[in-house]
Amino acid sequence: MKRITPSERRKEILNILCKKRFEKIENLANEFGVSVRTIKYDIEELTLAYPLETVRGRYGGGVKVTDGYYIGRNYLKPCQQELLKKLAENLTGSDLAVVNSILSDFALT
């Protein structure tokens, strides 16, 4: 494998996780030809911007992407989601239906 930068590696890790949904850290280290510690640093960096979760376990441990998250899809920030919920309390009919559809389509949870 040709040498790639840390940011390129992190982007590829995220792509792998969004496709597979879960991967062992050791497998990622082998795939990229780096140490387990390097992958752990990469995961720490990625968790600052993406909804990744580490899974503990002697044999089943690894890292996964939060259910419902996919690259390239836009999501509401928590503050945006809360504002829409607050506004929805005063809506009825089709306006309420529109706000609920926005929450359904773009809320991560």
Side-chain angles (χ1 to χ4, degrees):
M1 173 178 238
K2 81 172 187 127
R3 195 162 252 305
I4 61 174
T5 66
S7 63
E8 290 171 328
R9 185 178 58 246
R10 290 175 186 143
K11 183 178 178 182
E12 283 303 309
I13 290 169
L14 187 61
N15 284 329
I16 289 168
L17 291 173
C18 283
K19 287 178 189 169
K20 292 184 176 182
R21 310 310 292 168
F22 174 86
E23 187 58 83
K24 290 185 176 188
I25 290 174
E26 293 83 9
N27 292 348
L28 291 169
N30 287 332
E31 183 164 341
F32 291 102
V34 297
S35 70
V36 167
R37 186 68 228 152
T38 297
I39 295 296
K40 287 181 179 181
Y41 284 134
D42 289 340
I43 298 302
E44 287 174 18
E45 284 293 316
L46 287 167
T47 58
L48 297 174
Y50 300 97
L52 301 180
E53 303 170 32
T54 54
V55 178
R56 291 181 171 257
R58 185 171 184 179
Y59 301 107
V63 62
K64 69 177 190 169
V65 65
T66 300
D67 291 339
Y69 178 80
Y70 295 91
I71 291 177
R73 182 173 173 200
N74 292 319
Y75 296 95
L76 292 171
K77 295 176 184 155
C79 63
Q80 294 170 323
Q81 189 173 334
E82 290 306 311
L83 177 62
L84 286 174
K85 286 179 181 178
K86 192 185 295 185
L87 292 172
E89 292 173 2
N90 298 317
L91 299 175
T92 59
S94 63
D95 290 340
L96 179 59
V98 168
V99 169
N100 284 336
S101 72
I102 292 169
L103 287 167
S104 174
D105 290 346
F106 298 103
L108 185 55
T109 54

Coordinates of all heavy atoms in Angstrom, one line a residue, residues 3 6 10 20 23 27 30 38 54 67 77 82 101 109:
R3 N 2.1 5.0 0.8 CA 2.1 5.7 2.0 C 1.1 6.9 1.9 O 1.1 7.6 0.9 CB 3.5 6.3 2.3 CG 3.6 6.8 3.7 CD 5.0 7.0 4.1 NE 5.7 6.1 5.0 CZ 5.3 5.8 6.2 NH1 4.2 6.2 6.7 NH2 6.0 5.0 7.0
P6 N -1.9 11.0 7.5 CA -2.8 10.7 8.5 C -4.3 11.1 8.2 O -5.2 10.4 8.5 CB -2.3 11.4 9.8 CG -0.8 11.5 9.5 CD -0.7 11.7 8.0
R10 N -7.4 8.6 8.0 CA -8.6 8.8 8.8 C -9.9 8.9 7.9 O -10.9 8.3 8.3 CB -8.5 10.1 9.7 CG -7.5 9.9 10.8 CD -7.2 11.2 11.5 NE -6.1 10.9 12.4 CZ -5.2 11.8 12.7 NH1 -5.3 13.0 12.2 NH2 -4.2 11.5 13.6
K20 N -18.9 -0.9 6.6 CA -19.0 -2.1 7.4 C -19.8 -2.0 8.7 O -20.2 -3.0 9.2 CB -17.6 -2.6 7.7 CG -16.8 -3.1 6.5 CD -15.5 -3.7 7.0 CE -14.7 -4.3 5.8 NZ -13.4 -4.9 6.2
E23 N -15.6 -2.5 12.9 CA -14.4 -3.1 12.5 C -13.5 -3.2 13.7 O -13.5 -2.3 14.6 CB -13.7 -2.4 11.4 CG -12.4 -3.0 10.8 CD -12.7 -4.4 10.3 OE1 -13.2 -4.5 9.1 OE2 -12.5 -5.4 11.0
N27 N -7.6 -5.1 12.8 CA -7.8 -5.2 11.4 C -7.5 -3.9 10.6 O -6.9 -4.0 9.5 CB -9.3 -5.7 11.1 CG -9.6 -7.1 11.5 OD1 -8.7 -7.8 11.9 ND2 -10.8 -7.4 11.5
N30 N -3.7 -3.5 10.5 CA -3.2 -4.4 9.4 C -3.4 -3.8 8.1 O -2.6 -3.8 7.2 CB -3.7 -5.8 9.6 CG -3.1 -6.5 10.8 OD1 -2.0 -6.2 11.2 ND2 -3.9 -7.5 11.3
T38 N -1.5 3.8 16.6 CA -1.8 4.8 15.6 C -3.3 4.8 15.2 O -3.9 5.9 15.2 CB -1.0 4.5 14.3 OG1 0.4 4.7 14.7 CG2 -1.3 5.5 13.2
T54 N -16.3 3.3 20.5 CA -15.5 2.2 20.7 C -16.2 1.1 21.5 O -17.0 1.4 22.4 CB -14.2 2.6 21.4 OG1 -14.5 3.2 22.7 CG2 -13.3 3.5 20.6
D67 N -25.5 4.0 14.7 CA -26.6 3.6 13.8 C -27.2 4.8 13.2 O -27.5 5.8 13.9 CB -27.6 2.8 14.6 CG -27.1 1.4 15.1 OD1 -26.2 0.9 14.5 OD2 -27.7 0.9 16.0
K77 N -27.8 19.6 14.0 CA -27.0 19.7 15.2 C -28.0 19.6 16.4 O -29.2 19.9 16.2 CB -26.3 21.0 15.2 CG -25.3 21.2 14.1 CD -24.7 22.5 14.2 CE -23.7 22.7 13.0 NZ -23.5 24.0 12.5
E82 N -33.3 20.6 18.9 CA -34.1 21.1 20.1 C -35.0 22.2 19.7 O -36.1 22.3 20.2 CB -33.2 21.4 21.3 CG -32.5 20.2 21.9 CD -33.5 19.1 22.3 OE1 -34.5 19.5 23.0 OE2 -33.3 18.0 22.0
S101 N -41.4 15.8 9.8 CA -40.7 15.1 8.7 C -39.2 15.6 8.6 O -38.3 14.8 8.3 CB -41.4 15.4 7.4 OG -41.2 16.7 6.9
T109 N -30.6 10.9 16.0 CA -31.1 9.9 17.0 C -32.3 9.2 16.5 O -33.1 9.6 15.7 CB -31.4 10.6 18.3 OG1 -32.3 11.7 18.1 CG2 -30.2 11.1 18.9

